[in-house]
């Protein structure tokens, strides 16, 4: 992999934004969030993990799958202009990689995904609630998940690592200085130092082991689920959650438009924590009890059963569920309870 020393992040942002819409996480009012179509003067890279991941760039929160005009059905695959997600942290890149597998055959997801250039950024400090180091998702960006990788060096300089052909092509025309061995070694030193700064989260692998040994009772999950108010905060913010529902909607006609739509099917984010998520047309519900739904969520994140399909667990260690759950059913709370009580 080619590696360069970048003296100005602005140069790279300006270069990439010539041919793509640039999206970046920015800090504002103590919060950090994805800002669309960032333009010069370009903001610095945020050091914080945004509350919302990059999931919705590819798996839209709501989108029309097809329309029916009274005569024909027509697919409505949305293909955005080429865009770059600039400065995606390693955990969220791993989540995109996970979703790429889940949505491999999904043309709606793929139409968006194929237009994206992913510029990852290594984390040099652990984030609050983060445990990417325990689930092979960080703090350094994994090569298989990004087109370009940035790593902060001294004096506002950056190490720029070219991972894919798309990343290489995107840099054409930008004058770059090859990185020295010292620059490259500094990256590994910084990442090692970062790994050493994580708090002791050993209850997480212990909890995963108990869960996979079948040592967590249904009664335990019922107790945990008493605190779930089915708000869907966890499934909305979890970057690997991919459950969706579809709905057919009638659309009022506009007489001036000969091809006016009469009906459409819409896909929207759903949540396995909702009582009706698995309810069938016969009203049979395989997950009628809240405990069954909570159990299902956590098995989807940590069961060994999914390793053959995804090559990893369905959790990338971001800690967003802990941050958002009003019922204290985030990953840290659940794993501590599994180790202690289950
Ligand atoms: S389960 Fe929680 S910690 Fe794991 S990826 Fe989802 S939100 Fe992040
Ligand atoms: S965030 Fe907590 S309360 Fe809300 S649905 Fe998820 S587990 Fe239930």
């Amino acid at each position: 992999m080619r590696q360069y020393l970048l003296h100005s992040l602005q140069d790279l942002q300006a270069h990439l934004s010539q041919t793509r819409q640039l999206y970046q996480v920015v800090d504002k009012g103590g919060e950090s969030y994805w800002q669309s179509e960032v333009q010069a003067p370009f903001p610095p890279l945020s050091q914080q993990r945004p509350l919302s991941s990059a999931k919705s760039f590819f798996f839209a929160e709501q989108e029309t799958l097809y329309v029916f005009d009274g005569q024909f059905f027509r697919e409505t695959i949305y293909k955005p202009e080429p865009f770059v997600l600039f400065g995606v942290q390693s955990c969220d890149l791993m989540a995109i990689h996970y979703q790429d597998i889940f949505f491999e055959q999904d043309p709606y997801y793929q139409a968006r995904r194929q237009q994206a250039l992913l510029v990852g950024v290594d984390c040099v400090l652990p984030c609050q609630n983060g445990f990417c180091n325990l689930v092979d998702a960080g703090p350094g960006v994994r090569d298989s998940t990004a087109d370009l990788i940035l790593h902060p060096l001294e004096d506002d300089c950056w190490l720029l690592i070219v991972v894919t052909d798309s990343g290489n092509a995107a840099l054409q025309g930008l004058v770059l200085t090859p990185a020295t061995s010292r620059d490259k070694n500094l990256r590994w030193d910084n990442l090692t130092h970062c790994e050493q700064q994580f708090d002791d989260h050993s209850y997480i692998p212990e909890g995963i082991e108990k869960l996979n040994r079948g040592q967590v009772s249904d009664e335990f999950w019922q107790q945990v689920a008493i605190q779930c108010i089915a708000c869907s905060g966890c499934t909305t913010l979890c970057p690997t959650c991919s459950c969706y529902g579809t709905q057919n909607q009638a659309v009022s006609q506009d007489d001036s438009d000969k091809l006016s739509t009469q009906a459409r099917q819409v896909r929207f984010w759903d949540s396995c924590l909702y009582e009706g998520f698995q309810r069938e047309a016969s009203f049979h519900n395989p997950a009628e009890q809240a405990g069954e739904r909570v159990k299902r969520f956590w098995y989807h994140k940590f069961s060994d059963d999914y390793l053959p399909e995804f090559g990893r667990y369905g959790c990338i260690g971001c800690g967003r569920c802990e941050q958002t759950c009003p019922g204290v059913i985030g990953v840290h709370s659940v794993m501590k309870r599994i180790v202690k009580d289950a």
Side-chain angles (χ1 to χ4, degrees), residues 131 234 237-240 297-298 301 314-321 331:
F131 55 97
C234 53
L237 292 185
C238 178
T240 61
F297 176 93
W298 290 107
K301 298 304 169 197
C315 172
I316 48 80
C318 67
R320 288 183 175 98
C321 50
V331 64

Side-chain angles (χ1 to χ4, degrees), residues 147-185:
D147 296 300
L148 298 167
I149 301 172
L150 287 163
H151 181 88
L153 298 173
E154 302 146 328
D155 304 325
D156 291 333
C157 290
W158 295 79
L159 184 67
L160 173 63
I161 304 164
V162 183
V163 185
T164 65
D165 291 343
S166 301
N168 191 41
L171 296 180
Q172 293 308 307
L174 188 66
V175 179
L176 292 162
T177 313
T180 63
S181 305
R182 183 178 177 277
D183 299 328
K184 297 173 193 173
N185 290 339

